[in-house]
Amino acid sequence: MIDATASRAAWVRPAGTAPVLDVVVPVYNEETDLGPCVRRLHTHLREHVPYPFRITIADNASVDGTLDVARSLATDLTGVEVLHLDAKGRGRALREAWTASPAPVLVYMDVDLSTDLAALLPLVAPLISGHSDLAIGTRLARTSRVVRGAKREVISRAYNLLLRGALAARFSDAQCGFKAIRADVAARLLPLVRDTGWFFDTELLVLAQRAGLRIHEVPVDWVDDPDSRVDVLATALADLRGIGRLGRALLTGELPLRQLREQVGRAPLGPPPARVPVGLPRQLTRFAVVGAVSTVVYLLLYVSTRGVLGAQPANLLSLLVTAVANTAANRRLTFGITGRWHAGRHHLQGLLAFGLGLALTSGSLAVLHTLAVAPARVVELVVLVVANLAATVLRFVLLRYAMHHRRGG
């Protein structure tokens, strides 16, 4: 565990002030570590966090002296509360504690405090300001510093890759025990989360993402707890079942995602300025891919017909074939237009771009053959590639104007 607590004067808070943060610490049979960890957390909150806080110890049906230790801490430390549950389950404990909390920002962290507490204020600040809806600590960011064994490292990365593939998750670390959520968002999401165990926060994050909520990620320093009580195999199997169940619910439309997005999702951005066309970065990327493939096909056609037809006829044939295919591919893949909607007009625009490309490439060949009677084939191909790049820029401008402008009308 990393102790980042420095000695400084505690923040002065009015007595009886309602908490802004409620830091929930779920525990099960932690009678040895609970006291030192909660006292360190309390000191850090008192000295480094300028907001009223509460610490809620959520006892998950412990069978040792954990509950007695928790009650003793609540007696000794101001702002420490105890919630006792008769059934196990981290998810169940978080649901109960967050639902009953009066704080507008709800936090969860593991009792071992493996995550450096210096990341706590960066975790909650975007929620307090309203910039974000949820926040998670991530051990997988490039700037994170993590100390743990190879086994846990591989399992964690494999799990998050699985989430990306199976549930299209865009957050980087679902399992880090260091998360926060706004209470108003939690009130909407929690009734839809079915898991009561370790898959609870993954399910919560997937629902939040699908609802259009903003998830803030904080790189953390994290040191593995060698005395962790987590049963890795049982947890992995439960997570796989959870992924399957949640995936089915998403595919079948069982979850009311549209209503959820309308209730808590962020409103779409207003129309962009005229100088920032809609979807331009994505269109440029797809157009570049289509253009690269077209260029390769063009060069292959040119090389295969050059010896039979000669340079200029081979260039004409190769450019014509790839121009038609290029327009069709960009129409569908780059600009998202299907069917016959203005297809003839688009292909006419494509032929105009073809004419400009032909002028550039033929002109380049003519200049090259004027300068050198029998230029090397490699030089000829390089000149054509450069001319095609210039023609590609013109093609994008023409096609985007034709397709995007017409759709807007």
Side-chain angles (χ1 to χ4, degrees):
M1 293 183 291
I2 303 172
D3 190 353
T5 304
S7 59
R8 55 177 288 182
W11 292 91
V12 177
R13 301 178 180 89
T17 303
V20 172
L21 305 178
D22 192 347
V23 183
V24 179
V25 183
V27 291
Y28 174 73
N29 290 351
E30 296 284 357
E31 61 180 355
T32 301
D33 294 336
L34 180 59
C37 289
V38 169
R39 290 182 184 278
R40 185 159 72 91
L41 172 61
H42 189 274
T43 299
H44 179 89
L45 288 167
R46 183 168 51 85
E47 295 184 351
H48 294 272
V49 176
Y51 305 107
F53 65 87
R54 184 173 90 172
I55 299 174
T56 299
I57 304 171
D59 175 44
N60 289 315
S62 296
V63 295
D64 62 356
T66 297
L67 183 57
D68 292 334
V69 173
R71 288 170 174 164
S72 176
L73 289 168
T75 301
D76 295 344
L77 302 175
T78 302
V80 175
E81 303 287 339
V82 178
L83 172 67
H84 174 70
L85 292 92
D86 293 327
K88 290 177 61 177
R90 181 187 64 171
R92 178 180 288 107
L94 290 175
R95 184 197 309 276
E96 294 294 329
W98 282 352
T99 300
S101 177
V105 176
L106 310 170
V107 184
Y108 144 64
M109 64 177 60
D110 291 330
V111 67
D112 55 24
L113 301 187
S114 293
T115 304
D116 184 356
L117 291 176
L120 180 56
L121 193 54
L123 185 81
V124 301
L127 308 190
I128 294 173
S129 69
H131 175 269
S132 299
D133 306 297
L134 294 88
I136 64 173
T138 175
R139 299 162 295 184
L140 302 181
R142 290 184 178 181
T143 54
S144 299
R145 298 187 297 176
V146 177
V147 178
R148 61 175 166 181
K151 178 181 177 181
R152 284 182 174 270
E153 181 75 12
V154 170
I155 291 174
S156 178
R157 291 186 178 274
Y159 179 70
N160 284 283
L161 284 174
L162 178 61
L163 289 181
R164 287 177 178 271
L167 299 176
R170 295 195 297 269
F171 43 86
S172 65
D173 191 352
Q175 294 176 308
C176 183
F178 196 71
K179 297 182 175 71
I181 185 172
R182 292 204 336 253
D184 58 325
V185 172
R188 298 288 189 179
L189 292 180
L190 290 179
L192 301 177
V193 179
R194 290 176 50 186
D195 192 83
T196 59
W198 293 97
F199 189 68
F200 171 87
D201 38 355
T202 297
E203 187 170 357
L204 183 74
L205 288 170
V206 171
L207 290 176
Q209 177 187 303
R210 296 300 181 100
L213 297 172
R214 177 174 288 160
I215 301 174
H216 178 70
E217 298 198 4
V218 179
V220 298
D221 294 345
W222 194 88
V223 177
D224 194 11
D225 177 16
D227 190 37
S228 175
R229 311 294 173 84
V230 179
D231 186 330
V232 175
L233 179 59
T235 301
L237 292 175
D239 286 343
L240 290 175
R241 289 192 294 269
I243 291 173
R245 172 183 56 76
L246 183 56
R248 286 193 300 272
L250 293 172
L251 287 174
T252 59
E254 176 184 335
L255 294 166
L257 292 177
R258 172 181 286 184
Q259 297 91 318
L260 188 62
R261 182 179 289 269
E262 292 174 351
Q263 292 170 353
V264 297
R266 293 177 176 266
L269 295 174
R275 296 180 182 178
V276 185
V278 177
L280 181 57
R282 181 179 298 177
Q283 289 178 356
L284 280 172
T285 301
R286 295 181 179 181
F287 186 85
V289 172
V290 172
V293 174
S294 298
T295 301
V296 171
V297 174
Y298 164 82
L299 291 175
L300 290 175
L301 286 172
Y302 179 83
V303 170
S304 63
T305 58
R306 169 70 169 80
V308 178
L309 302 177
Q312 293 289 5
N315 175 57
L316 172 62
L317 176 64
S318 303
L319 199 61
L320 179 60
V321 171
T322 53
V324 174
N326 183 284
T327 300
N330 278 310
R331 193 171 180 272
R332 174 66 181 88
L333 301 176
T334 302
F335 302 107
I337 300 174
T338 57
R340 299 181 179 180
W341 187 87
H342 289 316
R345 178 180 294 166
H346 296 156
H347 278 285
L348 283 175
Q349 293 284 349
L351 288 176
L352 175 59
F354 156 75
L356 293 173
L358 179 62
L360 284 170
T361 53
S362 297
S364 300
L365 281 175
V367 171
L368 176 63
H369 283 275
T370 300
L371 297 175
V373 178
R377 190 63 53 84
V378 173
V379 175
E380 198 172 75
L381 292 178
V382 169
V383 169
L384 287 173
V385 168
V386 173
N388 264 293
L389 287 176
T392 296
V393 175
L394 292 173
R395 174 184 292 274
F396 179 78
V397 174
L398 286 172
L399 291 182
R400 191 176 198 283
Y401 176 80
M403 298 184 189
H404 177 74
H405 176 73
R406 296 293 182 182
R407 292 188 79 182

